[in-house]
Every structure is written in C-alpha cells, then in structure tokens.
Amino acid sequence: MANQASASPPLPFSLGALSQLNARQKLMAMAMVAFAIALLVGAWLWSKEPPYGVLFSNLSDQDGGQIVAALQQQNVPYKFSEGGGAILVPVSKVHDARLKLASQGLPKGGLVGFELMENQKLGTSQFAEQVNYQRGLEGELARSIQTLGAVRAARVHLAIPKQTAFLRDELKPSASVLVSLQPGRTLDPAQVAGIVHLVSSSVPQLAPGNVSVIDQDGKLVSQQQDGLRSDNLNPSQLGYIKEVEAQYVKRVETILEPLLGKGNFRTQVTAEVDFNQVDQVEESYLPNPAPDTAIRSQQTAETGAGSPPALGVPGALTNQAPVPATAPLTNPQVGGVAGAGGGVGQTGNFTRNATINYELDKTVRHTRGTPGGVKRLSVAVAVNHKRPPGNDGKPGKAVPPTAEELRRVNDLVRESVGFSAKRGDTINVAAASFVQSEAEAIPATPLWKDASVIAFAKEAAQYLIFALIAWLVWSKLLKPVFEMFAAAAQRAEAARKAAAEAAGVSEIAHPGGIHNGRNFDDRLKGARDTAHQEPKLVAELIKEWMGGSGT
C-alpha cells in the first residue's frame, strides 16, 4: 500500500501551491515560463516566414549597392542568396519593388547611356564630346540588346573612323557585339539578324556586313545564319520551305493513317520552292493578216487625161471575185484590156495607184510570277510489313504488302500531293519491315532533385523543427516548473496530513486522551503509515517533542 502511494503520479499544482515557493523559485519559474513563451513565438514566426523571391540577379557592385540603399530607404526587407549572386525580397513585394526601383533608373546595368551627355561641362573639347557620344551610343545599344529574353548581358564596341574630305581615304565604320546568354539559351538566326540590323541602323554608313556578334564562348554567331542558307535563302524562306513540306506530309498522313494504321508508315517530302519574282512582257505579231483585218489607212493616186479606162471586159471575167488585195495595192492588169494609151476608146494617158494599210495583229502579255511556288516535289513513303494476328491472338509473322496494295498507296499519295509530271515530281513507295526500337527509358527525376518534393520537405522540416522546439520547451522548461509546483502542492498536502496525524500521535503518547479502543487502533495505524511514508517528518516531530519535553 505504501508502494502504491509512492508510485502515484504527482498531484496537479494549484495557485495555492505558489505560496509554498520561495522568492527565488518564483522568480526562476516566471523567467523560465517567459523564456519558453518567447521561444515558442519565435519558432512559430520563423516557421511562418514569408517566402523570398529574386528581385535582381547578376548585378554589378555599383548597381547592387544602390539597390540595397534604395530598399533600406523603402523599409523593404531583403537578403542575399547563397554566394551573393541575387538580391531576395518577399514574394509579395517583388513587383512593387521593381517598379519603384525602375522609377529611379535602377538597375543601370553597369552601362552609361546618353545621360552621359547631360553632365557635359562647358569648354569640353570636340574630341571629348565625340568620345562621350560614342560611349553613350554604345551603352544605349547594349541596353536595347539586353531586353532580349535570351541575352543576359551585352557589350557593344563601335569603331567610327574620323571623317575625311578625300573619298579615297574614307573608311567605313564597324561594330562588334559581345552577348552573354542565359544558361541553356541560344540565339536563332532571326535574332542574330535583328541584332545586326539594330546596330547597323543606329550608326550612319554602317553596313550590316561590318557588324560582328560574338557569344560568351567566343563563337562568331553572326556568320551562323550564312551557313544555314542554301541557294542564298534567308531564314524566313527556309522556314517557309519547312512549312510547305510539313503540309504535304500531313496530307499524306491524313489519307494513309486510316488505311495502314498509325506508326505503320513513314513519309518524307522534299519541296523545291521558287522564290524568284519574274515580270515578263510578251509582244507577238501574226505573219500574214487575215482578209477581214480592219483597214488602218487607204491612199489612191490617179494621173492622166481623158476618161479612165474600163476596169473589166464583158464576159466571164466580170463575174469573178476580185483578186485579193495586197499592200501596197495595185490593180492587176485584166486580160484583154489595153494599157494606158493603147486601149480602145481611150482619149489620153491615164495612171491609177492605190495604197491600203491594215492594222497589225499584235498581242501584248504581261506576266508576273508569284514567289514561293513549288517547282518540284519528291515524296518518299515507307510502308511497314503487316503482322496479322495468329490463333492465339498475338501478332504473327510479318507479311509484306502486296503489289496491289502498294499501287493503291502510290495512287493515293499522287492525288494527295497533287502529282505533276510536267514539273518533274517523283514518288517512291517502298515496303520494309520496321525495326522495333526500344523506347529510350527516361530516367526518373530523383526525389531529392524534384522541386515540388524539395518545397514540401522544406515546409515539413519547418513544422518538425517547431514541434521539436515545442517538445524541448515542454520537457526541459515547462514540465520541471509544473513538477516543482506539483511537488510544492504535495508537500503542502503532506504537511497538512502530518499535522492531523501529529494530533493522533500525541494522544497515543498521552493515553488519557483516548476514550475508546477503536479510535486508538485507527490512529495508531495512521501514525505507522505516516512514519513509513514521511520518515523525515516523523523524525522532525519527535525532535520537537524531545526538545519540548526537555524544556
């Protein structure tokens, strides 16, 4: 019974137990409770710290210092990333801070633009003005190039020769552009051409061929676009060719996929496109005009005296059709008619001349060719062998398509691409057994590299750390304080019981105070239990008795 009483949990403390503590214990208890509360509040605020986002990265030291000073003036919290490569601010304030800093002209990118001309001093030499202008122009061009998404930083160097009055000694300006690209990004030929034309258009008499663009690896990227050209085609023309070929491939796939099934054929189309724009004027004449051609002009001349001779003779000749006219037209001599001066009944010499001009038969044709027309198509189609299902339902042995099936595929392809033998189109349909290539296994992203898992782990770690701190505060700070309060309350309760039992022990020592045996036995048993549970208390009580009896 005594063991059960000693193993029982400590009694909960009460406010009355505080009176059992001395001043030092009370002060220590309050300090520990305050420290525990502050520690828990700090841990909670740390776990709830707002996420930070990148405000700016890869800044020069000058821009970084100015931005940090501006953030301090605006009372915007900030911190640096690992390595100091970026300035971080709370995500909710990233856009607001960027707009406010942009209103102050930050960051400047470590480049000077035309604002350099604003601080021009009086009495500056012409050479210094020219140098400042060139520096400002280089800075403005670099800033414009940095606005491209793939460009992280840019530098522009201009070589502008001094103007001279002698054309023989005149030199053309040139430019060099150094671009530092974002990780994993590249410049396509169109962007390189845009940079070249931007620089060449900003400097007078600067030809695009005199602009060199170099990347951060020292590669001359301004000539890559020339290497991509075939037959002097620019990138837009090459893109148009690819688009035309893709359209023809899509036509073939659309017509063959329902018949052969997806993945059972492959199509490739090569298109030869004519980008020449031809203006042709054609003028043609017929060699001999028709009899019903319109008369343009007619001229008749007559000379002589007397009446003109008769133009016909009686008889069959007068009933015949006239002879076709020719230009110049002269009346043919009719048989049986005398010439001038020798005819019957002719009184004098007479001459008649007639000239008739007809309209020319002319055709004028203007022809303008549209660029981008297809000059020739080459189509290749590979058809896979069929695998009819066996008795067990699994694909059986590969069987090549028949000649009739290949002919049908050929006819469908001819019609779908608009085959033209006149322009030299070719179509080749072949059957082959496709090699079943194993799908390349894409390695799964490890969990420790997955961004979502990392974010979840960070958030879970914050809560776990907060829980650990809370447990340490409870077990190392609050629980001992509560146990101290409970012990004080238990001691107070034990003292109260001891005082009650002391009265019984005193009656045992003075039997005259005992009136019945049952009360004596109960008190004796209680005294024994008290002596067993609280030996120190009984010892102190006996000492008091002995001291009291001695006095």
Side-chain angles (χ1 to χ4, degrees), residues 117-414:
M117 307 296 295
E118 297 176 358
N119 300 324
Q120 199 78 12
K121 297 181 180 180
L122 184 63
T124 305
S125 63
Q126 184 178 3
F127 175 77
E129 291 181 353
Q130 182 65 28
V131 170
N132 291 338
Y133 171 77
Q134 183 170 337
R135 288 181 58 195
L137 182 58
E138 291 174 349
E140 293 295 336
L141 289 174
R143 290 176 181 176
S144 300
I145 296 173
Q146 287 179 359
T147 57
L148 297 178
V151 178
R152 183 178 60 185
R155 292 290 301 273
V156 178
H157 302 278
L158 299 177
I160 303 177
K162 187 177 180 181
Q163 296 182 356
T164 177
F166 300 97
L167 297 178
R168 180 179 299 177
D169 299 334
E170 184 179 5
L171 299 177
K172 298 297 182 181
S174 60
S176 300
V177 181
L178 175 63
V179 292
S180 179
L181 304 180
Q182 299 287 354
R185 302 290 296 274
T186 58
L187 289 176
D188 55 27
Q191 290 176 322
V192 175
I195 294 175
V196 171
H197 286 281
L198 172 66
V199 177
S200 62
S201 302
S202 302
V203 180
Q205 299 182 357
L206 177 58
N210 293 336
V211 179
S212 301
V213 181
I214 305 172
D215 62 2
Q216 69 272 19
D217 298 328
K219 297 180 181 179
L220 186 63
V221 297
S222 58
Q223 292 183 352
Q224 291 182 0
Q225 56 180 351
D226 297 333
L228 294 175
R229 294 181 181 178
S230 58
D231 298 334
N232 297 325
L233 298 179
N234 55 35
S236 61
Q237 292 174 343
L238 291 175
Y240 176 76
I241 293 176
K242 292 181 181 179
E243 183 179 356
V244 171
E245 293 174 349
Q247 290 179 355
Y248 281 109
V249 170
K250 186 176 181 180
R251 292 181 185 179
V252 175
E253 291 178 349
T254 303
I255 194 92
L256 293 183
E257 187 172 340
L259 300 178
L260 304 178
K262 187 176 182 179
N264 290 327
F265 65 95
R266 295 289 186 272
T267 305
Q268 186 66 38
V269 177
T270 302
E272 183 179 351
V273 182
D274 185 11
F275 292 100
N276 296 324
Q277 185 174 359
V278 180
D279 292 338
Q280 182 179 1
V281 179
E282 181 181 357
E283 186 174 353
S284 61
Y285 300 89
L286 294 178
N288 295 317
D292 57 351
T293 305
I295 297 176
R296 184 175 184 181
S297 63
Q298 181 176 0
Q299 182 178 2
T300 303
E302 296 181 356
T303 60
S307 60
L311 297 179
V313 296
L317 292 177
T318 58
N319 297 326
Q320 294 180 357
V323 179
T326 58
L329 181 62
T330 57
N331 291 331
Q333 296 292 334
V334 182
V337 180
V344 179
Q346 190 172 4
T347 59
N349 296 329
F350 191 88
T351 302
R352 171 178 288 179
N353 295 324
T355 302
I356 301 177
N357 295 323
Y358 295 89
E359 289 289 346
L360 298 178
D361 190 358
K362 180 177 68 172
T363 302
V364 179
R365 181 181 294 106
H366 295 267
T367 304
R368 171 172 293 182
T370 302
V374 178
K375 295 173 59 177
R376 185 173 178 271
L377 284 179
S378 298
V379 184
V381 180
V383 181
N384 189 16
H385 288 181
K386 298 183 297 183
R387 294 180 179 272
N391 297 329
D392 55 354
K394 298 181 179 179
K397 185 178 180 181
V399 178
T402 62
E404 178 63 23
E405 293 175 343
L406 293 179
R407 185 190 61 80
R408 184 174 59 179
V409 171
N410 193 315
D411 294 341
L412 292 175
V413 174
R414 289 167 63 94

Side-chain angles (χ1 to χ4, degrees), residues 51-70:
Y52 277 69
V54 177
L55 180 64
F56 293 109
S57 60
N58 299 318
L59 294 172
S60 62
D61 295 339
Q62 182 179 1
D63 285 343
Q66 294 179 358
I67 290 176
V68 169

